[in-house]
Amino acid sequence: MNQSTVPVVSPATLEIVPLGGLGEFGMNMMAVSWEDTTILIYAGVMFPDPDQLGVDLIIPDLTFVEARREQVKALILTHGHEDHIGAVPHVVERFDGPIYGTAMTLALIEPKLEEHGIDARDRLKTVKPRETITVGPLSVEFIRVTHSMPDCVALAITSPAGTIVHTGDFKIDQTPIDGEHFDLHRFAELGARGVLALFADSTNVDRPGFTGPEIEVIDAFEELFTSTEGKLVVALFSSSIYRMQLLVDLAVQFERKVAFVGRSIIRNAEIAQRLGFLRLPAGIQIRDAEVQEYASQDVLCLTTGSQGEPQAALPRMSIDDHRFVRLGPDDTVVFSARAIPGNEKAIARTMSHVARRGADVVTDSMKHVHVSGHGSAEELKLVLSLIRPRYFIPIHGEYRQLSQHARIAARVMSGIEPRLEVLLAQDGDIVQFDARGARIADKAPAGRVLIDVTRIGEVGDEVLRDRRHLAGDGVVIAVVAISRQSGALVSEPELVARGFVFGEDEESAIFSDASAVIRECIESSNVEERADQGLMTEKLRGELRRFFKKRSGRRPLVLPVLMEI
Ligand SMILES: [Zn+2]
Ligand SMILES: [Zn+2]
């Protein structure tokens, strides 16, 4: 869209433009402006559906930000989930100015900026709850809220037109694991003083009652620690620091060592330990490489892959393709996370593979091993009652959730004067507040941008590793044709190598052995595995890598190409 389609801010008007997260889950972002000052709240991503091939991430359309480049004075963050910070590397270079967030949030952003080769360390400004910062005519106060990870805040933004409250993501956990309580007092004070507008999280609006505290899962896990004779493997989101703490504490009690398995969980656990949000008693932690040195009943693995992502640790373990961790009959594998819509098939496949190794599979429909981080209907009502806003704008959700939240708000506020007005805004709507009231006045460019990490030339860990393999040990491409019906090999695999092997004789010897490895790998897979192209590709890659390593002592980049005929 043309940048000239972004209108200028009207005088003496508070203008708010949601740029993402109102009409979908994820890629949350919002712009708040008073005259020539704009602040951005969040820069989140959304993850693509499995059928959006070649798309790694989805971020909000940044045309609006580019058009306002000179006015954008700060980026404000509430917590460290990807749907709120994942697009920070794409946004920081489109404005000059500080990025405000709590210690945990900023610590999670640092490695992201590093991966993108962006040095913005001197723009990262750490804030604490009840602290207020000033950006031109706007001031922003940070208020402690509880959620599924540590160090989360809501925002009270004061402009000449009045104060708006933005909840961020929250639930009301009255027994928080780190003792950092939801600042209900401050919410009540702001409400008593008068709040112009409330922007509140709608994620769990269709769940009745209260969501429940993080500690609620302890009972189910105590049972699992007691009943599991082998390894206990728990797959969870790598940001679920509270859940990790709770499991570490149980591991101490039940005398198991704790291993973090998976790149992102190892990194986040390190960050959380460094900042004091995760406490591990000395001697309890072992490295992933050490798991096999311990008796399986003495080990707890905290791992990635709860969504069945083929590259993550648990799905790899489930097909015997993890470097260090194998699953066996006495083990229990717990899926301690919700299934993100779209991932159900991949998760179910992983569960079947785990079951095939003889291990027990436990999900949150069998035992209470997961609790949401978002407030249910009664918590949303409580926040409305405390804030008593003049205007209400539901955020974070699909349209059906936003409209359900609007109905709930009308019920909570009925009989309270002046009457609550609800503005059901969507991405791109320009919401104005001025002396005459509030309205959705106009439309700004908004939408989605699909990011293919490889094509826009950004270099992540994965790419770097591939390049190292290429430079040092060459590449082997294996073209494998299999029957669409039976999944069996239809012809001899074709192997092509560059920069890898030595003499011609040696090459043909190695290749014929590699063909045997491929054949063996396919024949030993069952029909279900063979039908899963992504999985078979991963499995072949793993087998071939091991074969070449063993045979030549080198680690070429292995690219299996599976063709169904
Ligand atoms: Zn969140
Ligand atoms: Zn969120």
Side-chain angles (χ1 to χ4, degrees):
M1 209 181 284
N2 194 312
Q3 298 198 0
S4 63
T5 58
V6 176
V8 295
V9 187
S10 309
T13 300
L14 177 66
E15 180 210 85
I16 291 165
V17 184
L19 296 168
L22 275 70
E24 67 262 295
F25 272 113
M27 60 171 235
N28 297 297
M29 190 164 183
M30 183 178 276
V32 178
S33 307
W34 179 270
E35 292 175 346
D36 60 356
T37 301
T38 293
I39 58 176
L40 301 173
I41 301 173
Y42 307 147
V45 293
M46 188 160 79
F47 293 99
D49 287 336
D51 57 359
Q52 290 176 297
L53 294 174
V55 176
D56 300 293
L57 288 175
I58 302 172
I59 66 169
D61 182 337
L62 297 174
T63 306
F64 180 89
V65 177
E66 270 159 10
R68 293 265 179 96
R69 191 184 176 110
E70 301 305 318
Q71 286 112 289
V72 175
K73 297 285 164 31
L75 171 61
I76 314 271
L77 303 165
T78 62
H79 70 292
H81 277 147
E82 289 295 320
D83 54 325
H84 303 261
I85 66 164
V88 168
H90 301 274
V91 171
V92 286
E93 294 187 313
R94 292 182 159 89
F95 79 99
D96 304 305
I99 301 155
Y100 294 100
T102 59
M104 184 72 198
T105 309
L106 296 185
L108 290 169
I109 287 171
E110 266 175 47
K112 264 181 216 306
L113 293 174
E114 218 164 276
E115 260 176 49
H116 284 74
I118 299 168
D119 185 3
R121 265 166 306 178
D122 50 358
R123 292 169 64 189
L124 300 179
K125 306 287 179 205
T126 309
V127 293
K128 290 205 170 81
R130 293 243 178 173
E131 187 177 331
T132 300
I133 55 132
T134 307
V135 186
L138 301 169
S139 71
V140 183
E141 181 186 346
F142 298 86
I143 305 164
R144 173 67 79 216
V145 295
T146 47
H147 186 36
S148 51
M149 71 181 301
D151 222 6
C152 303
V153 289
L155 309 171
I157 302 169
T158 300
S159 73
T163 297
I164 62 167
V165 172
H166 186 296
T167 64
D169 280 357
F170 76 96
K171 69 173 171 183
I172 300 176
D173 188 336
Q174 301 188 77
T175 49
I177 291 196
D178 57 5
E180 285 289 332
H181 288 264
F182 193 118
D183 197 349
L184 291 167
H185 287 102
R186 191 63 190 138
F187 270 51
E189 279 169 15
L190 287 164
R193 215 176 62 187
V195 169
L196 176 66
L198 171 66
F199 294 74
D201 180 19
S202 312
T203 307
N204 275 351
V205 68
D206 39 19
R207 297 195 193 182
F210 287 87
T211 292
E214 289 293 302
I215 56 165
E216 217 171 61
V217 298
I218 288 183
D219 290 349
F221 276 111
E222 264 178 357
E223 275 176 47
L224 291 166
F225 269 90
T226 308
S227 64
T228 301
E229 286 170 12
K231 276 191 298 299
L232 185 56
V233 177
V234 181
L236 67 179
F237 290 125
S238 58
S239 58
S240 298
I241 309 294
Y242 286 145
R243 185 93 25 101
M244 289 179 206
Q245 182 68 62
L246 192 146
L247 288 162
V248 165
D249 293 347
L250 284 169
V252 173
Q253 189 186 329
F254 287 88
E255 298 180 342
R256 282 179 188 254
K257 299 284 183 192
V258 181
F260 294 96
V261 187
R263 197 162 56 100
S264 61
I265 210 167
I266 290 172
R267 192 191 61 202
N268 287 2
E270 268 170 18
I271 291 172
Q273 279 189 79
R274 173 158 54 81
L275 297 177
F277 290 111
L278 181 62
R279 291 168 310 278
L280 279 94
I284 189 133
Q285 189 176 357
I286 58 172
R287 284 184 296 116
D288 50 3
E290 295 173 313
V291 168
Q292 49 209 355
E293 295 165 22
Y294 286 81
S296 61
Q297 72 267 22
D298 294 335
V299 177
L300 164 70
C301 292
L302 301 181
T303 180
T304 54
S306 68
Q307 303 301 308
E309 317 92 302
Q311 306 281 353
L314 178 62
R316 280 180 176 276
M317 290 176 210
S318 78
I319 55 167
D320 286 343
D321 186 37
H322 193 271
R323 270 211 297 166
F324 305 122
V325 185
R326 288 274 178 279
L327 297 175
D330 293 329
D331 298 343
T332 298
V333 175
V334 185
F335 287 77
S336 179
R338 85 186 165 101
I340 293 175
N343 294 341
E344 294 87 351
K345 273 189 188 162
I347 296 170
R349 266 199 308 265
T350 303
M351 287 177 181
S352 286
H353 294 312
V354 169
R356 217 168 271 124
R357 305 284 159 257
D360 256 1
V361 175
V362 176
T363 68
D364 68 339
S365 58
M366 297 152 73
K367 279 186 191 300
H368 193 36
V369 290
H370 174 66
V371 58
S372 172
H374 297 271
S376 301
E378 294 306 316
E379 284 148 289
L380 306 184
K381 289 179 191 172
L382 180 53
V383 164
L384 278 154
S385 297
L386 289 171
I387 298 289
R388 286 198 177 188
R390 176 80 184 81
Y391 298 95
F392 177 60
I393 295 96
I395 57 172
H396 305 163
E398 292 173 10
Y399 196 80
R400 65 192 168 85
Q401 272 114 358
L402 304 181
S403 63
Q404 171 68 5
H405 203 175
R407 274 193 293 278
I408 283 184
R411 240 176 290 144
V412 170
M413 301 289 288
S414 83
I416 294 173
E417 290 298 331
R419 252 175 71 103
L420 177 79
E421 278 186 48
V422 177
L423 296 165
L424 257 181
Q426 298 180 74
D427 294 347
D429 283 342
I430 299 181
V431 186
Q432 294 180 338
F433 300 88
D434 60 22
R436 291 175 297 129
R439 70 205 70 83
I440 294 170
D442 204 346
K443 198 86 185 160
R448 300 171 184 191
V449 176
L450 310 182
I451 305 279
D452 171 345
V453 174
T454 50
R455 208 180 45 222
I456 63 169
E458 295 177 33
V459 182
D461 286 5
E462 210 99 304
V463 179
L464 281 178
R465 199 180 58 212
D466 285 353
R467 286 183 186 170
R468 270 198 300 274
H469 286 308
L470 269 175
D473 298 316
V475 56
V476 178
I477 298 167
V479 182
V480 182
I482 56 169
S483 152
R484 193 187 304 275
Q485 275 85 39
S486 63
L489 266 184
V490 287
S491 60
E492 200 56 30
E494 273 181 52
L495 287 126
V496 184
R498 289 285 178 274
F500 170 50
V501 275
F502 329 93
E504 246 173 60
D505 292 349
E506 201 173 356
E507 178 169 297
S508 73
I510 288 189
F511 278 6
S512 84
D513 289 351
S515 290
V517 169
I518 293 170
R519 182 176 299 281
E520 160 66 23
C521 174
I522 289 172
E523 281 169 3
S524 69
S525 302
N526 58 39
V527 181
E528 202 191 344
E529 285 176 305
R530 287 183 198 173
D532 183 341
Q533 210 165 341
L535 186 139
M536 281 311 295
T537 307
E538 276 309 308
K539 207 170 159 180
L540 283 171
R541 197 200 313 275
E543 292 291 331
L544 287 171
R545 235 193 245 149
R546 266 193 290 278
F547 166 77
F548 286 118
K549 172 86 203 317
K550 207 165 135 199
R551 183 65 181 264
S552 67
R554 304 167 90 177
R555 294 171 175 274
L557 181 68
V558 177
L559 297 173
V561 179
L562 211 58
M563 294 192 314
E564 284 186 340
I565 291 173

